[in-house]
Amino acid sequence: MTYPKTVGVLALQGDSRNHLSLLADLGVTGVPVRTPEQLEAVDALVLPGGESTAISLLLETSGMLGPLRARLAEGMPALGTCAGMILLAREVTDGRPDQHHLDALDIVVRRNAFGRQVDSFEADLDVRGIDGPPLHAVFIRAPIVENAGDGVEVLASVARADGAERPVVCREGPVMVAAFHPELTGDPRLHQLFLERAGD
Ligand SMILES: NC(=O)CC[C@H](N)C(=O)O
């Protein structure tokens, strides 16, 4: 199994540093991506958590929106976490009217939607494809997956305060998303799962 050679981390806004150090722990060259030229040079991309409306705007002003759409359409592997998951979705039900989404996997998401747990909560997740102890996940103003298409694999779910189970890790082809912040716990297993598929 080979990992992609160079993995970019979108560094326009939000938490790119911890993603870069997890990639380094896995022996992968991670590079911050802020320009179309830097995007062109990577084999895969991590879109971190932060604020999806701000990242959306910065994608536009940096000139990266078009090139990023094109790379995703060509099949570039991407991992989106929290705000990154919102950006990669097919539809955002309550995004700002001018908020861009990249339509890279067939999910519909709603921002800041974990009911009473809206601000933050933590959960231990069984993730399909990850062995060993459950993955500890930190959710911060997390999006909810309202609908996942037939082609989408749901790899982990969590019960909302009202008891409804919601997908929190999804994958479609080379694109994987998580509603939480996998970079905050120092556990590299979610990145590893992404890279295993991304390098195929
Ligand atoms: N932790 C996060 O990335 C939060 C996402 C944020 N609520 C948004 O809408 O973009």
Side-chain angles (χ1 to χ4, degrees), residues 42-79:
V42 301
D43 303 309
L45 186 69
V46 176
L47 292 85
E51 181 50 54
S52 60
T53 52
I55 300 173
S56 164
L57 185 65
L58 291 166
L59 278 174
E60 198 179 310
T61 53
S62 66
M64 269 202 290
L65 185 62
L68 179 52
R69 281 191 200 286
R71 289 292 312 270
L72 291 167
E74 286 162 10
M76 176 182 68
L79 170 65

